[in-house]
Protein backbone atom coordinates (compact mmCIF):
# COMPACT_ATOMS: atom_id res chain seq x y z
CA UNK A 1 0.00 0.00 0.00
CA UNK A 2 1.37 3.44 -0.84
CA UNK A 3 0.85 6.53 1.30
CA UNK A 4 1.14 9.20 -1.37
CA UNK A 5 -1.01 12.30 -1.02
CA UNK A 6 -1.66 14.83 -3.75
CA UNK A 7 0.42 18.00 -3.70
CA UNK A 8 -2.61 20.17 -2.86
CA UNK A 9 -3.45 18.05 0.19
CA UNK A 10 0.15 18.22 1.45
CA UNK A 11 0.17 22.01 1.05
CA UNK A 12 -3.13 22.26 2.91
CA UNK A 13 -1.79 20.14 5.76
CA UNK A 14 1.35 22.29 5.98
CA UNK A 15 -0.72 25.50 6.08
CA UNK A 16 -2.91 24.03 8.84
CA UNK A 17 0.20 23.00 10.82
CA UNK A 18 1.71 26.50 10.55
CA UNK A 19 -1.58 28.14 11.55
CA UNK A 20 -1.78 25.87 14.61
CA UNK A 21 1.82 26.65 15.63
CA UNK A 22 1.18 30.39 15.31
CA UNK A 23 -1.94 30.19 17.48
CA UNK A 24 -0.27 28.13 20.22
CA UNK A 25 2.93 30.15 20.46
CA UNK A 26 2.95 33.34 22.50
CA UNK A 27 6.56 34.04 21.52
CA UNK A 28 7.08 36.85 19.04
CA UNK A 29 10.02 38.56 17.36
CA UNK A 30 9.71 42.32 16.96
CA UNK A 31 11.78 44.31 14.48
CA UNK A 32 10.84 47.97 14.37
CA UNK A 33 7.03 47.99 13.96
CA UNK A 34 6.84 44.48 12.44
CA UNK A 35 6.05 41.44 14.61
CA UNK A 36 6.56 37.80 13.61
CA UNK A 37 5.28 34.74 15.52
CA UNK A 38 7.94 32.21 16.53
CA UNK A 39 7.07 28.66 15.45
CA UNK A 40 9.79 26.75 17.36
CA UNK A 41 12.63 27.58 19.75
CA UNK A 42 15.77 25.85 21.01
CA UNK A 43 18.73 26.84 23.18
CA UNK A 44 20.53 29.03 20.65
CA UNK A 45 17.87 29.95 18.12
CA UNK A 46 14.32 29.90 16.80
CA UNK A 47 12.32 29.29 13.63
CA UNK A 48 9.88 31.58 11.82
CA UNK A 49 7.58 31.15 8.86
CA UNK A 50 9.76 31.44 5.76
CA UNK A 51 7.16 33.28 3.70
CA UNK A 52 7.27 36.51 5.69
CA UNK A 53 10.59 36.46 7.57
CA UNK A 54 13.37 35.26 5.28
CA UNK A 55 14.96 38.73 5.22
CA UNK A 56 15.52 39.17 8.97
CA UNK A 57 18.96 39.72 10.45
CA UNK A 58 20.53 41.96 13.00
CA UNK A 59 19.09 43.25 16.26
CA UNK A 60 15.62 41.99 17.28
CA UNK A 61 13.50 41.92 20.43
CA UNK A 62 11.90 38.67 21.63
CA UNK A 63 8.62 38.83 23.57
CA UNK A 64 6.46 36.29 25.39
CA UNK A 65 3.06 37.92 25.03
CA UNK A 66 3.73 41.44 26.32
CA UNK A 67 6.76 40.49 28.46
CA UNK A 68 10.09 41.51 26.93
CA UNK A 69 12.36 38.46 27.30
CA UNK A 70 15.57 39.54 25.60
CA UNK A 71 17.24 41.53 22.89
CA UNK A 72 19.17 39.41 20.43
CA UNK A 73 21.53 39.70 17.51
CA UNK A 74 20.49 37.05 14.95
CA UNK A 75 21.64 35.56 11.66
CA UNK A 76 19.72 33.30 9.30
CA UNK A 77 21.15 29.80 9.52
CA UNK A 78 19.02 27.30 7.63
CA UNK A 79 15.97 27.05 5.40
CA UNK A 80 13.89 23.94 6.00
CA UNK A 81 10.50 23.15 4.41
CA UNK A 82 8.37 26.21 5.19
CA UNK A 83 10.53 27.46 8.07
CA UNK A 84 13.53 29.73 8.31
CA UNK A 85 15.89 29.04 11.23
CA UNK A 86 17.79 31.80 12.97
CA UNK A 87 20.73 31.47 15.36
CA UNK A 88 21.63 33.87 18.16
CA UNK A 89 25.00 35.56 17.93
CA UNK A 90 24.14 37.34 21.18
CA UNK A 91 21.07 37.26 23.44
CA UNK A 92 20.83 39.68 26.36
CA UNK A 93 18.08 39.19 28.94
CA UNK A 94 15.82 42.20 29.33
CA UNK A 95 15.77 43.73 32.81
CA UNK A 96 13.02 45.82 34.36
CA UNK A 97 15.50 48.20 35.99
CA UNK A 98 18.95 49.40 34.93
CA UNK A 99 21.97 47.51 36.29
CA UNK A 100 23.85 48.89 39.29
CA UNK A 101 27.23 50.46 38.73
CA UNK A 102 28.49 49.01 42.01
CA UNK A 103 28.07 45.94 44.20
CA UNK A 104 25.68 46.49 47.08
CA UNK A 105 26.64 44.63 50.29
CA UNK A 106 23.96 42.39 51.79
CA UNK A 107 23.93 44.23 55.14
CA UNK A 108 23.84 47.76 53.67
CA UNK A 109 21.01 49.97 54.95
CA UNK A 110 18.22 50.69 52.51
CA UNK A 111 17.88 54.28 53.68
CA UNK A 112 19.28 56.52 56.38
CA UNK A 113 17.04 58.29 58.87
CA UNK A 114 17.77 61.99 59.56
CA UNK A 115 18.74 63.04 63.11
Amino acid sequence: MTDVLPKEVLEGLELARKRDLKKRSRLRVKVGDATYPILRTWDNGFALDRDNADHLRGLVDVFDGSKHLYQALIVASMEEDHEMSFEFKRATCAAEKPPLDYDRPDDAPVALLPR
Side-chain angles (χ1 to χ4, degrees):
M1 174 185 258
T2 60
D3 295 326
V4 179
L5 295 174
K7 181 180 176 184
E8 294 81 17
V9 173
L10 290 174
E11 289 174 354
L13 289 172
E14 181 61 29
L15 288 174
R17 184 187 70 80
K18 282 197 303 188
R19 186 175 56 243
D20 184 46
L21 285 172
K22 287 178 185 178
K23 283 183 183 177
R24 281 191 289 149
S25 178
R26 292 175 39 122
L27 294 176
R28 304 273 187 261
V29 172
K30 186 173 182 184
V31 182
D33 293 334
T35 303
Y36 306 100
I38 295 176
L39 300 178
R40 297 183 298 117
T41 62
W42 53 93
D43 289 340
N44 60 347
F46 59 91
L48 300 177
D49 185 10
R50 183 183 61 173
D51 296 338
N52 59 1
D54 60 349
H55 61 282
L56 287 181
R57 68 178 52 86
L59 196 60
V60 299
D61 292 302
V62 178
F63 289 87
D64 182 5
S66 63
K67 183 181 178 188
H68 189 202
L69 296 178
Y70 43 87
Q71 192 175 51
L73 188 60
I74 61 168
V75 292
S77 65
M78 186 172 39
E79 196 173 319
E80 211 177 286
D81 295 330
H82 295 281
E83 293 180 350
M84 188 68 169
S85 298
F86 295 90
E87 299 291 328
F88 296 130
K89 289 180 88 174
R90 173 185 67 83
T92 305
C93 291
E96 293 181 9
K97 57 185 179 178
L100 293 175
D101 290 339
Y102 54 90
D103 185 26
R104 174 176 274 171
D106 293 335
D107 60 346
V110 175
L112 295 176
L113 297 174
R115 290 183 164 204

